[in-house]
Amino acid sequence: MRALVLLLSLCWASLVPASAETLITSLSNHRVLITSNYTGTSIAVFGAIERDAQTISRATGYDAVVTVRGPTQYLVVREKEQIGPVWINQEQQKFPLAPSYLGVLMSAPIDEITSPQLRQRQKIGLRAIIDAPDFTNVRDGADQPFRDALYRLKEQEGLYHEDERGVTFLTPSIFRASIPLPATAPPGNYDVEVTLLADTVILARTITHFELVKTGFEQQVGEVARDWSVLYGLTTALLAIFFGWGANVIFRRD
Amino acid sequence: MQIYLPIAEMPVSVLLILGMGAAVGFISGLFGIGGGFLMTPLLIFLGIPPAVAVATQSAQIVASSTTSSLNALRRKALDFKLGTILVAGGFIGSVLGVWFFAAARRAGQLDLVIVISYVTLFTVVGSLMLKESLREFWTKRKGGSVRLRRQAGEHAPYLGLPFRVRFYRSKLYASVIPILGLALFVGFAGALLGIGGGFIMVPALLYIFRVPTSVVVGTSQFQIVCTTLVALILHAVANQAVDIVLAILLIVGGVFGAQFGARAGRYLRAELFRFLLALLLLAVGLRFAMELVVHPDEPFSITVQESRT
């Protein structure tokens, strides 16, 4: 019985850190508005580490990892292969719940702040998230080139990125990070997960959200196109005919 | 200057889109083709989602073709009778094309079908036209007369099939069966490839039916207005992929371009016109062929699957 209690308390200890640091995070903006001149933005994350009287002192200082996940998409990655003289799409790998945007900001290179096992288990860092077994179906290593391709192509678009110096500690217990959002990041809900570590152990984790929304004209156009699609199509068609007729009148030379 | 596109959900440079619209509009007005096969790849290259690119450029085609049709109407270079038959045949072809599109997608080889169709159509039509126009140049230099009009008693057998109709403006007296057949094929290819099909219609009317060049452009533009209007509304209803802001930018650029194109077309000699169109088609065909044959730098590609099937 005593052993069981000890075991349970050990499990409990590994789940909830006994060190009693509390992490408080805040975003500069919880609602980013897309207007007609929107060309991307950046959102600041602030974090403060609160220690109480029982907190043991840390010799190594704190590390923080900020992970931002955009709305999920059903992505299919295809590979072209040569068949005879032509290159055609052959194999494909499906990523049913891939985030459209994925940003990881860290206070130090990932090898210095976590162990490989912890990284894999807790999905810390872009590589660990993309290589996670539940990210796509595992096919005995055949899935790895597709995972790599997803990373590479999304990174080229600026939608997946990792910055190992993206989190700055202003004081030993207050940090700040700036999440860059490219203009191509789609509207929707974004999750911001902040993980606090010390000496390769996770101390605390918080999750906050922000949303990227179209406003005013952009929002109305989106709604009309979705809810009144026949009207929208007819309007566009009439507009096109009107412009065509207008040009004919303006340029008429008799 | 950047503007955010509400449906494509990304910002674009206003001047770049206006310029692209003008350039494609010029070619469209010059040759009497829609120009969709040029605009769609350009938009996709800018990063606009393919569905939005295909759907939205049809709005620009409607606008520029309306202008060209009205111009042709004023110059009495539009054969309504011929145009109506082409439209009717085109609709039936489109329905068949949409059905085949779905079948190819189920088989998982839609991309391949599209690229191969592009390559075959463009290179075949392009090289046939190039051969023909080079022969015209040659005959002219030797002092011979170019024989493009039909002469008395010189009718291809397919024109003499039953249901003959007289098309005064096109100087054509022919059976409606081959005309409907052509329209059917153009509608089919158009629906399959997401294009208006003007580049098949124009050479076919020129070479198979020997319709005068000026009437060909006007009539083809009339047919394009009708089919693309239907396509535009279908895209808006079925895919909700028409971006009205992008459409307006393309239209404004396009109508100006189309005006100058149509004007330039009037000063272009007929055989030079056919030679240039042949070169354009061959170039596009070769570009698609390259895509198929050349070792890709990046063999992988990502597509967003809209529906989970």
Side-chain angles (χ1 to χ4, degrees):
Chain A
M1 187 65 204
R2 188 170 250 181
L4 188 68
V5 170
L6 191 69
L7 194 70
L8 277 174
S9 62
L10 270 176
C11 287
W12 181 245
S14 66
L15 284 172
V16 174
S19 45
E21 268 103 347
T22 324
L23 178 61
I24 302 135
T25 52
S26 172
L27 300 178
S28 61
N29 201 344
H30 283 277
R31 203 174 143 85
V32 182
L33 304 179
I34 296 178
T35 51
S36 56
N37 55 5
Y38 174 77
T39 53
T41 186
S42 71
I43 290 173
V45 186
F46 291 95
I49 303 153
E50 264 192 357
R51 300 158 55 93
D52 55 27
Q54 285 92 45
T55 310
I56 50 164
S57 66
R58 309 248 168 221
T60 50
Y62 297 108
D63 289 303
V65 179
V66 177
T67 309
V68 187
R69 291 181 178 85
T72 55
Q73 286 176 327
Y74 194 111
L75 298 180
V76 181
V77 179
R78 294 197 172 88
E79 186 184 12
K80 280 200 172 89
E81 275 166 53
Q82 197 168 24
I83 299 225
V86 298
W87 288 84
I88 55 177
N89 283 332
Q90 282 288 306
E91 273 199 85
Q92 63 175 39
Q93 179 89 28
K94 290 173 182 165
F95 296 85
L97 289 169
S100 51
Y101 173 88
L102 190 53
V104 179
L105 308 163
M106 291 173 285
S107 57
I110 192 146
D111 294 324
E112 294 173 19
I113 56 179
T114 56
S115 65
Q117 293 84 355
L118 183 79
R119 264 203 311 271
Q120 274 171 25
R121 206 169 57 237
Q122 296 292 332
K123 294 181 194 164
I124 297 172
L126 212 51
R127 202 68 258 183
I129 295 171
I130 289 172
D131 289 346
D134 59 357
F135 197 60
T136 181
N137 58 320
V138 180
R139 297 185 297 153
D140 297 329
D143 52 315
Q144 197 55 44
F146 291 92
R147 293 175 192 260
D148 294 344
L150 180 76
Y151 188 169
R152 194 169 58 241
L153 292 167
K154 282 289 218 175
E155 198 178 28
Q156 280 165 16
E157 291 178 52
L159 289 170
Y160 281 18
H161 83 113
E162 188 171 78
D163 186 352
E164 57 186 29
R165 297 280 175 200
V167 177
T168 327
F169 273 87
L170 305 172
T171 72
S173 61
I174 295 174
F175 58 87
R176 191 195 66 188
S178 174
I179 305 164
L181 270 189
T184 44
N189 289 310
Y190 286 69
D191 296 339
V192 182
E193 182 190 83
V194 183
T195 310
L196 182 70
L197 302 102
D199 201 15
T200 75
V201 174
I202 294 181
L203 303 179
R205 214 166 218 186
T206 63
I207 291 190
T208 47
H209 312 273
F210 67 87
E211 59 175 346
L212 186 60
V213 285
K214 293 187 264 191
T215 48
F217 175 71
E218 281 65 34
Q219 185 192 17
Q220 281 160 16
V221 169
E223 279 173 8
V224 171
R226 193 182 61 238
D227 301 334
W228 303 85
S229 55
V230 178
L231 186 74
Y232 181 81
L234 286 173
T235 310
T236 318
L238 281 178
L239 209 66
I241 292 177
F242 174 76
F243 270 100
W245 170 79
N248 181 263
V249 171
I250 292 167
F251 287 95
R252 180 175 292 168
R253 265 197 214 156
D254 288 317
Chain B
M1 196 176 104
Q2 302 265 315
I3 190 165
Y4 190 83
L5 303 177
I7 304 294
E9 297 185 337
M10 59 175 288
V12 288
S13 158
V14 173
L15 288 177
L16 184 67
I17 298 290
L18 283 177
M20 269 169 48
V24 174
F26 182 85
I27 292 170
S28 156
L30 186 61
F31 294 119
I33 54 181
F37 66 91
L38 294 170
M39 185 57 91
T40 310
L42 281 176
L43 290 176
I44 294 173
F45 181 73
L46 283 187
I48 289 166
V52 177
V54 170
T56 306
Q57 54 92 18
S58 59
Q60 192 232 340
I61 294 179
V62 168
S64 62
S65 300
T66 303
T67 311
S68 305
S69 303
L70 290 172
N71 274 335
L73 191 66
R74 220 174 54 242
R75 298 201 322 275
K76 301 203 189 315
L78 200 167
D79 191 330
F80 265 120
K81 206 167 167 187
L82 183 61
T84 311
I85 291 180
L86 291 176
V87 170
F91 280 140
I92 304 168
S94 301
V95 173
L96 292 176
V98 168
W99 171 80
F100 187 72
F101 186 91
R105 184 152 65 183
R106 274 199 300 277
Q109 285 304 339
L110 185 64
D111 287 357
L112 188 65
V113 168
I114 286 180
V115 174
I116 288 181
S117 313
Y118 257 107
V119 172
T120 345
L121 273 178
F122 280 79
T123 42
V124 167
V125 176
S127 22
L128 283 178
M129 286 187 68
L130 192 67
K131 200 182 110 206
E132 193 82 358
S133 68
L134 286 178
R135 211 171 63 201
E136 278 170 33
F137 279 130
W138 186 245
T139 332
K140 251 203 167 161
R141 272 186 61 183
K142 283 199 336 204
S145 63
V146 180
R147 201 166 49 93
L148 199 72
R149 291 271 167 76
R150 287 170 316 283
Q151 289 167 0
E154 187 226 8
H155 269 91
Y158 50 81
L159 297 181
L161 288 167
F163 306 112
R164 296 189 79 170
V165 179
R166 198 173 285 283
F167 301 98
Y168 292 102
R169 200 156 273 175
S170 304
K171 303 191 175 71
L172 179 69
Y173 178 51
S175 160
V176 291
I177 292 172
I179 299 175
L180 273 177
L182 167 70
L184 204 79
F185 177 69
V186 170
F188 181 80
L192 184 62
L193 303 180
I195 53 176
F199 74 95
I200 314 173
M201 189 67 90
V202 168
L205 290 178
L206 279 173
Y207 292 109
I208 302 178
F209 298 102
R210 303 281 183 192
V211 174
T213 308
S214 58
V215 182
V216 165
V217 172
T219 310
S220 156
Q221 290 286 12
F222 172 71
Q223 187 261 343
I224 289 170
V225 170
C226 297
T227 42
T228 319
L229 256 183
V230 175
L232 174 63
I233 294 168
L234 282 181
H235 275 306
V237 174
N239 307 324
Q240 282 139 34
V242 178
D243 195 304
I244 200 164
V245 175
L246 181 61
I248 290 174
L249 288 177
L250 289 176
I251 288 169
V252 170
V255 288
F256 283 93
Q259 280 302 320
F260 293 108
R263 203 153 290 171
R266 256 174 276 165
Y267 302 111
L268 206 60
R269 290 206 320 278
E271 43 313 348
L272 189 61
F273 166 91
R274 288 189 283 269
F275 177 70
L276 289 178
L277 182 54
L279 281 189
L280 177 70
L281 293 181
L282 264 183
V284 175
L286 285 178
R287 197 200 78 87
F288 276 100
M290 292 278 279
E291 197 171 286
L292 206 58
V293 175
V294 171
H295 188 298
D297 290 337
E298 172 63 80
F300 292 93
S301 60
I302 301 182
T303 42
V304 181
Q305 198 146 309
E306 305 292 342
S307 56
R308 296 171 187 199
T309 44

